[in-house]
């Protein structure tokens, strides 16, 4: 199922105050429109919606060149990768409250979290880590231009930072 990228935003839109079936937290609301990905058909619902393809506070989305969707699953401290049909492929941990996510032309995945910025190879290996350096203060949004420069919404420092793919 190929989904138009502009429709993916409904994954994170708030809905009425009803609980999503199987979730145990009031923070999870059932959207007022059909779900794009029926995660119940791919796995059972985990405690507090933490199973594969389930989310707590998804905050950012990005696609790779294969139309796989990456979701910054903030409340679960991970990034989930879903195939074009919405099936969970992988989860990358080792992030603390991920906020922003972007994928470059080589399918490297960049994640901003409360500690800084991280770069993951397409296979999920952590290949660069700009955390703990004091370079960023709770970065949120990410964008990558055609030259590969990573732009970071550096929230606590009140700036947009530009970082080369090598970290310069």
């Amino acid at each position: 199922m190929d989904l138009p990228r502009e429709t993916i935003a409904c994954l994170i839109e708030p809905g009425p105050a009803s609980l999503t079936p199987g979730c145990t937290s009031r923070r999870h609301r059932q959207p007022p429109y059909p779900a794009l990905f029926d995660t119940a058909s791919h796995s059972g619902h985990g405690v507090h919606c933490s199973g594969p393809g389930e989310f707590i506070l998804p905050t950012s989305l990005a696609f790779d060149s294969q139309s796989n969707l990456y979701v910054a699953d903030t409340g679960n401290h991970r990034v989930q990768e879903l195939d074009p049909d919405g099936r969970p492929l992988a989860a990358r941990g080792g992030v603390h409250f991920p906020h922003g996510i972007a994928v470059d032309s080589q399918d490297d995945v960049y994640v901003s979290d409360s500690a800084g910025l991280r770069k993951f190879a397409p296979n999920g290996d952590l290949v660069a880590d700009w955390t703990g350096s004091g370079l960023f203060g709770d970065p949120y949004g990410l964008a990558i231009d055609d030259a590969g420069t990573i732009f970071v919404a550096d929230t606590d420092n009140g700036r947009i930072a530009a970082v080369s793919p090598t970290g310069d």
Side-chain angles (χ1 to χ4, degrees):
M1 165 176 77
D2 288 326
L3 299 171
R5 292 178 188 222
E6 57 273 7
T7 65
I8 298 299
C10 76
L11 282 172
I12 59 172
E13 290 289 332
S18 62
L19 291 175
T20 300
C23 290
T24 59
S25 171
R26 291 214 171 271
R27 289 185 284 172
H28 306 283
R29 300 173 189 275
Q30 180 66 43
Y33 32 74
L36 290 175
F37 300 125
D38 179 9
T39 58
S41 66
H42 302 301
S43 67
H45 287 283
V47 176
H48 300 292
C49 296
S50 60
E54 298 173 339
F55 310 101
I56 297 176
L57 300 173
T59 56
S60 188
L61 308 169
F63 286 94
D64 67 13
S65 65
Q66 304 300 309
S67 296
N68 293 318
L69 177 65
Y70 293 83
V71 180
D73 187 5
T74 304
N76 282 316
H77 303 284
R78 65 184 177 185
V79 172
Q80 291 200 63
E81 179 184 0
L82 307 174
D83 74 10
D85 291 323
R87 288 184 295 268
L89 295 175
R92 291 168 173 82
V95 293
H96 191 257
F97 293 108
H99 304 299
I101 190 164
V103 180
D104 68 14
S105 62
Q106 304 301 310
D107 286 340
D108 292 317
V109 178
Y110 294 81
V111 179
S112 63
D113 67 10
S114 61
L117 178 65
R118 303 167 201 271
K119 177 181 177 181
F120 294 91
N123 67 2
D125 290 345
L126 179 66
V127 294
D129 189 339
W130 299 281
T131 61
S133 64
L135 183 61
F136 302 109
D138 202 17
Y140 268 67
L142 296 176
I144 301 174
D145 69 10
D146 291 338
T149 303
I150 304 108
F151 293 88
V152 181
D154 191 5
T155 307
D156 287 354
N157 291 317
R159 66 181 182 146
I160 304 300
V163 180
S164 77
T166 59
D168 302 327

